[in-house]
Amino acid sequence: MAGVVIIGAGLGGLRVAETLRASGYEGEVTIVGDEIHLPYNRPPLSKEALAGGVEVADLEFRRKAHVDDVTWKLGSPAVTSSIKEGTVTLADGTVLQFDALAVAAGIRPRRLPIPGPQAGRVVLRTAEDARELRAALVPGAKVLIMGAGFIGCEVAATARKVDCEVNIVALDAEPMIRPLGAELGAGMRRRHEANGVNFYLGRTITSFNGTDHVESATLDDGTVLACDIVVEAVGSMANVEWLDGNGLDLGDGLSVDDAMIVEGTTNVVAVGDLARHHNALFSGPKRRIEHWNMPTETGKRAGQTLAALLAGDEVSQAPFSAMPSFWSDQYSHKIQSFGMPGNATRIEIVSGNPDEACIAEYFDESGLVGVIGIDKTSELAPYRKLLMERG
Amino acid sequence: MIKVTIDMDKCQHYGQCCFEAPDVFSLDGAGHIVYVAEVADDRRADVESAADVCPMQAIEIS
Ligand SMILES: Cc1cc2nc3c(=O)[nH]c(=O)nc-3n(C[C@H](O)[C@H](O)[C@H](O)COP(=O)(O)OP(=O)(O)OC[C@H]3O[C@@H](n4cnc5c(N)ncnc54)[C@H](O)[C@@H]3O)c2cc1C
Ligand code: SF4
């Protein structure tokens, strides 16, 4: 019995395993993880845990009793695979046989090829990354953040909390502009500025300077910024290289159908940050959604699909429908989003203003596609309901 | 009966749990989470879903 092999021991992988068992599948389930840890929660890595200390045991997900019998193979990544042969090979040489494969390997931060010393340049995805960054966040340390997305902005807020000097360099015109839009982005920029963060927007870094360790960065306009540590938060790449050679399109994660089955395969599903899927609530092309709630939504669906497949039952092709939802904590402010605000062609602030508690509605040709509140969490539920009714 | 607890040191009052089991979890007028501590066994599936979607993993069920 080869059973199900799940590559990636994160939230998505855990949800696939739980759902397989909850759906009555009794065969082997093996979860392979590159990291040495059992599945743990990442969002605190840029927030509370980065400020207060990174204890993976405190971040581990609650694991349901019915996954007690799955086999964990942690600390060795999948390096090659043959879907035709039904095998995955791990870095330690282990070859695993599968009847069905679940791809839950997530994404990793993109690194830009910028000349200069490497030491002192970090990214933030894993508990180890967070520990390394936390060690550098001492009062007075000069922190340079590349990228003004959510992770960059959350790290900035946390670094200010511990009295670091913080500069953010980003190509975008405002922080978090893609989901928030220019007005709310500007409002968040002013909150950061009031807390002592300096922005260099519309700029890129052309080189890092220093002998062994980064000491400063030169921007494209010639500005030189001193730094003790650089946090690179400029986008992501899907962890799919180990699927090379199977004839799959690996250009932007993995394209899946409504049942989460990877295009071009019959027994492979993909979930979480790397799954590119349709969503019946929103029109437009398939998209990857790097929000915390999606590994649960896609993982549950993929688990049901595999359980049906392996039982010889018909796999449901009902349209996949899930509400993307995102939150972010910066200083005392809470940003919460429902839907696909990044798709909007028109944004309307319907309550408050960008510098205070506010709610913005996001529209495209089809109507309301998203809502974002800053410090207005309790008033967003009716909007979520409206968005659910799109389905 | 199922016993539900929210670890208030962890909870950030985002209210994600409310969408899964609105009869068990809700946000009060001030935006703070309130919940029913003992619920009937037939509500287990929804309460489990609420615990799954809690971003702070603050919900305990026994
Ligand atoms: C610092 C940080 C803050 C965040 N904050 C928020 C937030 O506030 N709100 C929000 O909505 N979302 C947030 N997110 C996003 C959220 O955490 C992700 O959407 C979620 O973790 C994705 O889950 P996943 O299971 O798809 O991938 P992951 O959690 O990345 O799990 C994939 C696992 O697979 C492993 N893996 C990779 N390659 C291989 C291989 N070849 N073999 C074996 N294993 C492999 C990886 O090491 C990893 O452990 C944040 C993310 C980070 C990093
Ligand atoms: S989902 Fe979790 S963090 Fe959010 S209100 Fe409910 S218990 Fe609190």
Side-chain angles (χ1 to χ4, degrees):
Chain A
M1 260 308 282
V4 178
V5 170
I6 299 173
I7 302 298
L11 179 54
L14 177 64
R15 293 291 184 250
V16 173
E18 287 171 348
T19 310
L20 273 167
R21 286 290 183 252
S23 311
Y25 175 70
E26 289 176 353
E28 281 294 316
V29 176
T30 306
I31 308 187
V32 177
D34 183 3
E35 296 181 73
I36 56 169
H37 308 294
L38 286 162
Y40 63 91
N41 205 14
R42 292 183 203 284
L45 299 180
S46 51
K47 311 179 183 78
E48 310 85 35
L50 186 60
V54 185
E55 288 302 331
V56 183
D58 293 344
L59 299 177
E60 266 179 27
F61 290 110
R62 159 177 174 272
R63 289 184 305 281
K64 299 192 177 86
H66 58 230
V67 296
D68 283 351
D69 65 347
V70 312
T71 305
W72 298 92
K73 284 205 59 78
L74 301 176
S76 190
V79 287
T80 57
S81 58
S82 166
I83 294 172
K84 224 171 93 212
E85 315 265 313
T87 59
V88 179
T89 306
L90 312 190
D92 67 5
T94 312
V95 179
L96 298 172
Q97 285 279 340
F98 62 80
D99 297 318
L101 177 69
V103 183
I107 56 172
R108 63 179 182 276
R110 191 154 63 99
R111 309 290 309 235
L112 299 177
I114 298 171
Q118 283 294 321
R121 294 173 59 177
V122 301
V123 294
L124 183 54
R125 181 76 186 173
T126 66
E128 281 66 32
D129 294 339
R131 280 206 191 105
E132 183 182 3
L133 174 57
R134 183 178 153 68
L137 296 185
V138 292
K142 295 185 184 65
V143 180
L144 177 62
I145 298 169
M146 288 173 69
F150 279 99
I151 292 184
C153 288
E154 289 177 357
V155 170
T158 305
R160 285 300 300 142
K161 222 185 256 178
V162 291
D163 270 326
C164 298
E165 288 178 30
V166 179
N167 290 313
I168 298 184
V169 178
L171 260 181
D172 295 331
E174 294 292 356
M176 302 168 280
I177 190 164
R178 248 150 300 165
L180 297 190
E183 277 189 88
L184 261 58
M188 284 310 298
R189 172 174 49 75
R190 289 188 289 269
R191 288 174 175 85
H192 277 278
E193 287 169 343
N195 279 285
V197 173
N198 303 306
F199 285 88
Y200 297 83
L201 296 170
R203 300 263 74 96
T204 59
I205 293 172
T206 51
S207 70
F208 290 112
N209 318 303
T211 36
D212 312 318
H213 193 276
V214 178
E215 289 164 20
S216 68
T218 305
L219 311 194
D220 55 351
D221 64 352
T223 306
V224 175
L225 296 173
C227 54
D228 301 312
I229 182 127
V230 179
V231 183
E232 302 183 33
V234 288
S236 60
M237 294 171 66
N239 294 319
V240 290
E241 291 78 1
W242 56 279
L243 284 162
D244 245 355
N246 287 296
L248 303 177
D249 172 9
L250 304 177
D252 177 25
L254 287 172
S255 166
V256 298
D257 66 10
D258 284 316
M260 300 300 133
I261 295 177
V262 175
E263 214 174 280
T265 73
T266 53
N267 62 338
V268 182
V269 292
V271 302
D273 280 357
L274 59 63
R276 190 152 43 86
H277 53 79
H278 280 304
N279 187 340
L281 296 180
F282 304 95
S283 48
K286 290 182 179 177
R287 286 192 188 80
R288 293 195 300 111
I289 301 178
E290 297 177 12
H291 291 182
W292 186 91
N293 78 316
M294 298 309 287
T296 292
E297 300 276 0
T298 53
K300 285 185 174 173
R301 182 65 184 263
Q304 289 161 2
T305 293
L306 290 186
L309 204 67
L310 295 165
D313 295 340
E314 200 181 324
V315 171
S316 162
Q317 283 295 338
F320 176 70
S321 148
M323 180 61 62
S325 134
F326 189 95
W327 79 97
S328 179
D329 292 314
Q330 296 168 33
Y331 311 102
S332 60
H333 303 294
K334 288 185 178 333
I335 304 174
Q336 185 156 30
S337 159
F338 291 112
M340 301 285 289
N343 288 4
T345 47
R346 184 167 68 81
I347 304 174
E348 206 175 306
I349 295 171
V350 291
S351 159
N353 70 68
D355 293 288
E356 291 165 11
C358 61
I359 296 175
E361 296 180 357
Y362 296 74
F363 301 90
D364 73 2
E365 317 68 56
S366 70
L368 187 72
V369 288
V371 61
I372 291 182
I374 302 181
D375 299 326
K376 282 275 197 190
T377 303
S378 58
E379 287 169 44
L380 293 184
Y383 289 97
R384 182 179 184 278
K385 193 156 170 268
L386 273 179
L387 288 164
M388 287 300 278
E389 283 161 9
R390 294 176 51 98
Chain B
M1 289 300 252
I2 311 167
K3 265 200 144 75
V4 181
T5 13
I6 297 183
D7 181 339
M8 283 304 168
D9 291 336
K10 287 189 181 165
C11 175
Q12 294 281 344
H13 308 279
Y14 278 111
Q16 295 295 116
C17 49
C18 309
F19 302 120
E20 304 298 321
D23 54 329
V24 182
F25 306 95
S26 53
L27 287 172
D28 68 12
H32 289 112
I33 197 76
V34 287
Y35 65 103
V36 185
E38 285 203 351
V39 294
D41 287 322
D42 62 355
R43 302 293 297 123
R44 182 169 287 276
D46 286 345
V47 173
E48 290 274 357
S49 296
D52 285 352
V53 302
C54 170
M56 309 311 296
Q57 294 288 288
I59 301 176
E60 304 262 329
I61 306 165
S62 59

